[in-house]
Amino acid sequence: MHDFQYKGNELYCEDVSIKEIAKEVGTPFYLYSYNTLKNHFNAFNSAFADIPHIVCFAVKANSNIALLKIFAGEGGGFDIVSGGELYRALGAGADPQKIVYAGVGKTREEIRYALKSNILMFNAESSQELFAIDEVAEDLGVKARVALRVNPDIDARTHPYISTGLKSHKFGISTGDALEGYRLARSLKSIDVVGIHKHIGSQITQTRPFVDALERIISMIDTLKGEGLNIKYLDIGGGLGITYKDESPPHPKELAAEISPILKETGCTIIFEPGRVIVGNAGILVTKVLYTKQSEGKNFVIVDAAMNDLVRPSFYGSYHSILPVNKNSDSNKIVADVVGPICESGDFLAKDRVLPDLKKDSLTAIMSAGAYGFTMSSNYNSRLRVPEVLVKGSEFFIIRRRENYEDLIRCEEIPAFLK
Ligand code: LLP
C-alpha cells in the first residue's frame, strides 16, 4: 500500500495536493511519501522480528540523504557499493557497524575509506579483492571484517539485466571456488572472516528462487563451520519485487514465513539488503504534458520528463503506470506513446499505452518511480536534474533542489590554450 491516492478527482500524496506542489516547485519532480517509506521499512523489518537481523537498505535504489536518514532513524543500516554511497550513508548519520559493502570493483581508496569508517563488513567478490583488502588493512594497522559473496548459480527469473546469481554473471565467487576463497581469506593476516553473502537479482516476484539460493548457501555454512571458520553473519542480499502492473510478489511476511525457519537454523545474524521493496512504490515522478501530436494515426504525448530522468522504460522496457493528477471523468481514452524531449527514439516512458486523453499542460504521475529513478538519472542532453520532494502529512519539503545551468558546468574547465 502507498499514500498516493485520489481525493475526489485529484491525486494527493498523503494530505498534500500534487497540483499544489507542482505550482511551487515546477515540473518535473520526484515525490516521495514519508509515511509510505516508513511503513515499508517497518513492514520489512518487523516481518523478521523473531530472528537477530539488520535491515541494510540498498542505497543504490534511492540515495537521497533525507531518505537514508529516515531509515537510519528506524534502526536500519545500509548496503553500499561505492565510496560515494558510504559518504551519503555516514552523512545521514548511519551507524558504521550496520554498513555492508558489496561490488566487484572496490578501489583501494574506497577500501581505505570504509576501513577508516569501521564499517561492519566487506562482501568480497574475488581473491584479488581479498588481497587488496588485506594490504590496505595491514597498512592501516586494522583487521578487515569480510564475508565472501557466493554466487549460488540460481535463476532469479527476472529481467536478464537485473539477474545476478547465475555463474555466467560477474558477481561473487562460484560455490565450487568458494571454499578455496575462504581458505585464502583465512590465511590473510589482516582479514577476519565473519560471514557469507549472496544476492541473486532484483524484482523477484516468487519465493522459490530465494529458498533455492538459501539452501545452497546454507549447506556451505556447515562446511565452513566444519573448517573452523566463524560465520557470524549471513547476508542474503535484496531482490524482493514490487507491483508495477499486475505482478503479485510475496509480502515480506510471506517471504519471512518461508525462509525464517531456514535462517534461524544457521544461528547467524541475518543481514537483508532490500532496496526496491522499500522505496519503489513510495515515490512517483510528476511530469507535465508539453504537447500532444498525431502522426500517421499514432498518438504521442510529449511530457517534460525524459529518459534522463527515469531510464527504466528505455533501458529495461519497464512498465510504469501513468495516472492523471486530475481525473476528468468524461475524457476519452486514447492509445499513445508517452515520450520525452530527448533526441533519441528510445526516449519514452510508455509505449502504446491506453491513457485518458491528456491535454496540453495537464499533470501526470509516473508511478512506482521511487527505486532506481532519481539514482539512475543523468544530465543527458544537458537537461537539469529534477528536484526531489518529500511529503509528510500535510507538509512538503524539497530534499534536493532543481539543478541550474551553473550546476551543469560546475566541474568543467576550458584549458588555457583555448582561452
Ligand atoms: N544488494 C546488492 C548486492 C545489489 O546488487 C542490489 C541491487 C540490492 C541489494 C538491492 O536489490 P533490490 O532489493 O532493490 O532488488 N536498476 C535496476 C535494478 C538493479 C539492481 C542492482 N542491485 C532496475 O531499475 O530495475
Side-chain angles (χ1 to χ4, degrees), residues 56-58 60-61 79-81 102-103 123 125 149 161-162 164 171 197-199 201-204 235 237-241 244 273-278 311-312 315-316 318 371-373 376:
C56 291
F57 172 71
K60 61 180 81 67
D79 155 47
I80 59 164
V81 74
N123 290 322
E125 307 215 15
R149 177 169 181 175
Y161 282 17
I162 55 176
T164 55
F171 298 100
H197 174 237
K198 68 115 180 112
H199 169 80
S202 198
Q203 183 56 11
I204 301 169
D235 183 340
L240 187 56
Y244 284 100
E273 302 175 347
R276 189 188 317 265
V277 70
I278 311 280
V311 78
R312 303 193 70 258
F315 200 26
Y316 311 108
S318 309
Y372 308 105
M376 292 180 79

Side-chain angles (χ1 to χ4, degrees), residues 275-293:
R276 189 188 317 265
V277 70
I278 311 280
V279 292
N281 282 323
I284 65 173
L285 174 61
V286 180
T287 179
K288 188 176 78 177
V289 177
L290 293 174
Y291 309 106
T292 61
K293 71 173 182 182

Side-chain angles (χ1 to χ4, degrees), residues 148-269:
L148 291 199
R149 177 169 181 175
V150 175
N151 186 331
D153 195 23
I154 290 287
D155 185 357
R157 302 180 206 175
T158 183
H159 190 290
Y161 282 17
I162 55 176
S163 181
T164 55
L166 284 173
K167 60 182 177 212
S168 56
H169 297 136
K170 69 177 176 178
F171 298 100
I173 298 174
S174 71
T175 41
D177 294 337
L179 190 54
E180 214 175 300
Y182 272 100
R183 286 180 180 149
L184 167 68
R186 181 172 55 188
S187 73
L188 298 172
K189 267 205 339 260
S190 300
I191 282 190
D192 190 7
V193 177
V194 294
I196 186 162
H197 174 237
K198 68 115 180 112
H199 169 80
I200 55 171
S202 198
Q203 183 56 11
I204 301 169
T205 53
Q206 303 161 35
T207 48
R208 195 71 237 166
F210 288 105
V211 174
D212 290 348
L214 262 180
E215 277 166 359
R216 294 231 171 138
I217 298 294
I218 279 165
S219 64
M220 284 215 55
I221 295 182
D222 291 338
T223 316
L224 297 174
K225 286 190 172 163
E227 292 254 326
L229 283 160
N230 183 12
I231 304 294
K232 286 189 279 193
Y233 298 102
L234 164 57
D235 183 340
I236 72 160
L240 187 56
I242 62 168
T243 303
Y244 284 100
K245 188 182 182 189
D246 47 17
E247 307 89 335
S248 41
H251 186 276
K253 262 198 257 169
E254 294 169 63
L255 179 65
E258 290 245 1
I259 65 173
S260 287
I262 318 177
L263 296 173
K264 244 182 232 165
E265 266 177 48
T266 64
C268 292
T269 295

Side-chain angles (χ1 to χ4, degrees), residues 302-318:
I302 301 157
V303 295
D304 62 2
M307 66 187 286
N308 73 299
D309 302 307
L310 179 67
V311 78
R312 303 193 70 258
S314 310
F315 200 26
Y316 311 108
S318 309

Side-chain angles (χ1 to χ4, degrees), residues 54 94-100 117-121 145 233:
I54 313 173
D95 174 355
Q97 282 300 296
K98 291 184 181 173
I99 296 180
V100 292
S117 307
N118 196 24
I119 66 163
L120 179 63
M121 67 181 191
R145 286 173 294 276
Y233 298 102

